[in-house]
């Protein structure tokens, strides 16, 4: 396993512990279910200067969720060669359940 793939797994594990977000991955089909790797890894881009994580919002409001995710992900980067890389969180979609659950709170 390479350092980048280890970091990807680590970041996905951190993201998995943030309520209200999930990795943004391509729609799964019967073809996608036969891919021999974890499709969630496609939600993480690692460059020397930039770590980009694409996510789908499962809950609203977004600002507190994104602050929590940012803090947790930066902590995970602290002891890695990417500790100085910029972190970019991109919300690519909002799950319909986030919209219906936010309406029920009104």
């Amino acid at each position: 396993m390479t350092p980048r793939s280890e970091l990807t797994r680590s970041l996905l594990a951190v993201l998995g512990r943030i309520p209200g977000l999930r990795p943004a991955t391509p729609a799964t089909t019967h073809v996608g279910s036969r891919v021999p790797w974890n499709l969630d890894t496609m939600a993480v881009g690692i460059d020397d200067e930039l770590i980009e994580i694409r996510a789908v919002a499962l809950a609203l409001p977004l600002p507190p969720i994104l602050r929590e995710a940012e803090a947790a992900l930066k902590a995970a980067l602290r002891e890695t060669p990417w500790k100085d890389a910029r972190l970019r969180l991109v919300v690519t979609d909002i799950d319909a359940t986030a919209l219906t659950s936010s309406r029920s709170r009104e």
Side-chain angles (χ1 to χ4, degrees), residues 11 14-15 18 21 53 62-78 85-89:
L11 295 173
V14 170
L15 187 66
I18 306 297
L21 293 176
I53 300 173
L62 277 175
I65 296 169
L66 293 176
R67 282 191 295 272
E68 178 183 353
E70 179 183 29
L73 291 163
K74 282 186 175 182
L77 291 170
R78 209 170 280 137
R86 287 183 306 124
L87 175 63
R88 179 185 301 154
L89 296 172

Side-chain angles (χ1 to χ4, degrees), residues 5-77:
S5 60
E6 287 179 21
L7 179 62
T8 298
R9 286 179 55 168
S10 173
L11 295 173
L12 286 170
V14 170
L15 187 66
R17 292 189 296 269
I18 306 297
L21 293 176
R22 71 167 173 78
T25 56
T28 56
T29 63
H30 68 284
V31 174
S33 65
R34 291 182 284 176
V35 174
W37 65 84
N38 181 352
L39 285 175
D40 287 353
T41 61
M42 296 179 75
V44 179
I46 300 174
D47 196 331
D48 292 338
E49 297 176 10
L50 176 68
I51 308 289
E52 182 175 279
I53 300 173
R54 293 165 295 283
V56 173
L58 303 173
L60 296 172
L62 277 175
I65 296 169
L66 293 176
R67 282 191 295 272
E68 178 183 353
E70 179 183 29
L73 291 163
K74 282 186 175 182
L77 291 170

Side-chain angles (χ1 to χ4, degrees), residues 99-106:
L99 299 173
T100 56
S101 65
S102 70
R103 284 188 195 132
S104 64
R105 286 181 273 168
E106 293 175 353

